[in-house]
Amino acid sequence: MSGPVTIAVERLPHGEGLALPAAQTEHAAGMDLLAALHEAEPLLLAPGARAAVPTGLKMAIPPGFEGQVRPRSGLALKHGLTVANAPGTIDADYRGEVKVLLVNLGTEPVTIRRGERIAQLVIAPVVQAQLVAVENLDTTVRGAGGFGSTGR
């Protein structure tokens, strides 16, 4: 690998004062996304509820890459919060605000406050594929065996 990928980020007014996503350790794969909620208006997420939580950021991911929005393991374990469409995808040509679709799978309401770490952003390379219709596929040992076909 030749070095880090540079991503231009535009901070929206409601994201002012919040830190930009950054790796927290030397070998971290992800960068924490923060909730850009109004200080006086935290979000109360009831059990089973979901919400698109703003980050206050727009970004220009370079062609050949995507942003993957993934859950934070601590929030999932401790509070039942996860990313509903995990991993969410930020395409290289998207220029709108990055939002995190959180869902509360826990049994208690969870309050999300301004600046709280709500998800991870992982930048990953993308291989674009072109599908080609054929009459028959090649055969394999597995064949059409689906869910659970190779074991429990």
Side-chain angles (χ1 to χ4, degrees), residues 2 6 12 20 50 61 67 78 81 87 105 107 115 118 133 140 149:
S2 61
T6 301
L12 298 170
L20 289 179
R50 59 190 176 273
I61 296 172
K78 296 174 186 173
L81 284 184
L105 300 178
T107 58
I118 56 172
T140 66
S149 66

Side-chain angles (χ1 to χ4, degrees), residues 1-2 27 44 57 67 79 95 111 120-121 140:
M1 180 141 193
S2 61
H27 299 292
L44 181 65
L57 302 174
H79 304 289
R95 293 296 182 268
T111 301
Q120 294 186 76
L121 173 65
T140 66

Side-chain angles (χ1 to χ4, degrees), residues 15-28:
E16 289 294 331
L18 296 176
L20 289 179
Q24 299 298 304
T25 63
E26 182 183 2
H27 299 292

Side-chain angles (χ1 to χ4, degrees), residues 97-133:
E97 180 178 9
V98 173
K99 295 185 179 182
V100 177
L101 184 53
L102 287 180
V103 61
N104 181 354
L105 300 178
T107 58
E108 300 292 327
V110 178
T111 301
I112 301 164
R113 293 178 173 77
R114 178 175 181 78
E116 185 172 351
R117 297 177 298 159
I118 56 172
Q120 294 186 76
L121 173 65
V122 174
I123 304 301
V126 171
V127 175
Q128 290 188 323
Q130 181 177 6
L131 302 183
V132 177

